[in-house]
Amino acid sequence: MKKPSFKNVAVIGTGVIGRCWIQVFARAGCRVRVFDANPESLAAGMTWFKNDLKDLRQRGQIKKKEAKARWERVTAAESLADALEGAQYVQESLPESQEIKNRAFHEIDALLDPKAIVGSSTSAMDMTLLAHGVPGARRFITAHPVNPPHLIPVVEVLKGAETDPKVEAKTIKFLKEIGQSPVVMHRFVTGFILNRMQAALVREAVDLVASGVADVEAVDTSIRDGLGLRWAFMGPFGVANTNADQGARQYFTRYGKAYEEMWDALNTKTRFNPELIEQIGQATDRMTGASYEKQRQWRDRMISAIRAVKAADPLLRDPPKRRRKPPKAASRKKK
Ligand SMILES: NC(=O)c1ccc[n+]([C@@H]2O[C@H](COP(=O)([O-])OP(=O)(O)OC[C@H]3O[C@@H](n4cnc5c(N)ncnc54)[C@H](O)[C@@H]3O)[C@@H](O)[C@H]2O)c1
């Protein structure tokens, strides 16, 4: 992993998401100061980090020396000011509330080095509103991870109206350096990219069950043993590029009309109700007898294994040779 451009990092909020960020930064070699307003949450976050290091050791993924080094890079801070001391990058993971985040942004802004950047884990809120009225709004940016961020690398990056474009560039660079996979959004939209796409698919999954077309097991199997096998390593456009011999243009020309007809048929108005949720709950419980905790542990092991496979055979990035240089006639014309 490349040496990160920000060595000193603060993690503010150590709930479900913040605690995983500790592992992301410590793994990358950063010094991490951690703070949570609730001392019990802070202690629980540190315990989670310790146990995760233990699990990694037990699975042979890191050596004792590495686990010790990561643990020693992290300090639980006694106050917000203590956590922000010397920080060059701050990852905020406070509850999803505009009021809480905006108040915290004022406090953080007043205490933090003027050059430091603040990334927010917000899942759905617009940075323009979150940083409203904050004197240093230019250094606040959305850096929305996917749960759990130490295993799933995508981070959605989005500027607020006042965010400095240099802050965006530095954030993207840093996230890449620490092994995350930043994706840039050009404007705010409800659900950002990932949750919006997930919502489109879940809407259809729930509707197929609610309308009696298929049961929960059939829907999940279609993803698990169908679409998901490709989607673990290529997106919908990458899939289109391989689903016709001449790539995405041919695929969408050939099947565009069929997609449009399906899109018209997807205009579902299904709403959740207690009976539907119970029906889905019972069916998902029947799919596996394991406890939820065991299922989560299995999920995390599978994500790690899939990432190892992907790292061994990475994305083919080279453009086709014929497109590397413009044709000679065209380049002569330009001169
Ligand atoms: N949970 C997810 O799946 C998920 C995924 C991606 C992003 N996010 C986003 O990450 C953020 C955090 O979500 P979470 O699920 O970790 O929430 P959480 O409730 O588990 O954790 C929030 C933590 O913030 C602490 N806190 C509250 N007010 C504080 C303050 N003023 N100063 C310091 N600490 C304070 C709480 O004690 C708690 O430990 C939210 O913006 C959420 O939308 C969540």
Side-chain angles (χ1 to χ4, degrees), residues 154-195:
V154 156
V155 182
E156 292 173 320
V157 176
L158 175 63
K159 294 196 297 283
E162 293 190 54
T163 312
D164 184 339
K166 282 192 202 130
V167 166
E168 181 189 56
K170 284 181 188 172
T171 304
I172 291 166
K173 182 169 177 276
F174 177 56
L175 289 170
K176 284 184 183 164
E177 288 164 350
I178 61 173
Q180 301 302 96
S181 178
V183 290
V184 177
M185 287 187 62
H186 303 305
R187 68 179 170 85
F188 175 81
V189 62
T190 303
F192 300 162
I193 304 172
L194 185 139
N195 279 330

Side-chain angles (χ1 to χ4, degrees), residues 12-19 21 35-42 80 92-97 100-101 103-104 107 120-125 143-149 195:
I12 307 300
T14 56
V16 174
I17 289 299
R19 65 193 185 197
W21 276 114
F35 177 69
D36 194 293
N38 178 346
E40 281 174 21
S41 295
L42 180 58
L80 181 64
E92 167 273 310
S93 303
L94 302 179
E96 189 74 347
S97 145
I100 293 176
K101 287 193 194 282
R103 200 179 327 118
E107 287 169 23
S120 170
S121 295
T122 180
S123 300
M125 294 183 152
H144 170 234
V146 180
N147 189 26
N195 279 330

